[in-house]
Amino acid sequence: KISEKAALKRSDSDMANINESLEKIRQANKSCDLKKCVDADIEFHTAIAVASHNEIFFELYKAASSHLRKCYLKKYKDYKIFATAETLHESLVKSIAEKDARKSWDIAEKIIKHG
């Protein structure tokens, strides 16, 4: 729902933040550093939560993110799962930029199932 709302309500400033976060994902993947990848992933999804302009979604994601970080660091032994999701993240950004809520929902679901 967060990505769907972001597609409907995002501003140009939100898109700049999302794109900046996507670039951090790319750089983290190049570093092959699991912690950097986890942090970049969480920052990316936080930027989308902010773009939803729904304080409840943002607060829920913010609260869950520290638990997600711990879970990811425990579950994954290396960065590769994050690197293989990069194209999904790129597609999500494109769908949000195009204000395509349905496609954003579908891609977010793929991202969730990816890991």
Side-chain angles (χ1 to χ4, degrees), residues 24-99:
K24 288 180 182 178
I25 284 177
R26 291 179 180 128
Q27 294 304 315
N29 289 337
K30 287 178 186 175
S31 78
C32 305
D33 182 304
L34 176 60
K35 289 179 183 177
K36 286 181 182 179
C37 289
V38 169
D39 290 342
D41 184 75
I42 289 171
E43 182 179 330
F44 174 79
H45 290 286
T46 299
I48 292 172
V50 169
S52 75
H53 294 272
N54 182 309
E55 194 164 328
I56 294 171
F57 284 157
F58 171 69
E59 290 297 328
L60 283 171
Y61 189 78
K62 191 168 89 172
S65 65
S66 65
H67 298 289
L68 282 172
R69 185 176 197 286
K70 289 177 193 174
C71 177
Y72 288 163
L73 292 173
K74 184 177 179 181
K75 182 177 179 179
Y76 301 116
K77 303 301 177 211
D78 62 38
Y79 75 100
K80 292 177 185 169
I81 191 75
F82 294 94
T84 59
E86 188 173 315
T87 56
L88 287 171
H89 287 95
E90 290 168 348
S91 296
L92 182 56
V93 171
K94 184 178 180 204
S95 68
I96 292 170
E98 294 171 349
K99 297 188 175 190

Side-chain angles (χ1 to χ4, degrees), residues 10-24 26 43-44 47-48 51 93 96-97:
R10 61 93 179 150
S11 66
D12 290 343
S13 175
D14 293 324
M15 283 310 305
N17 291 332
I18 292 169
N19 280 307
E20 184 179 318
S21 296
L22 178 61
E23 184 55 34
K24 288 180 182 178
R26 291 179 180 128
E43 182 179 330
F44 174 79
I48 292 172
V93 171
I96 292 170

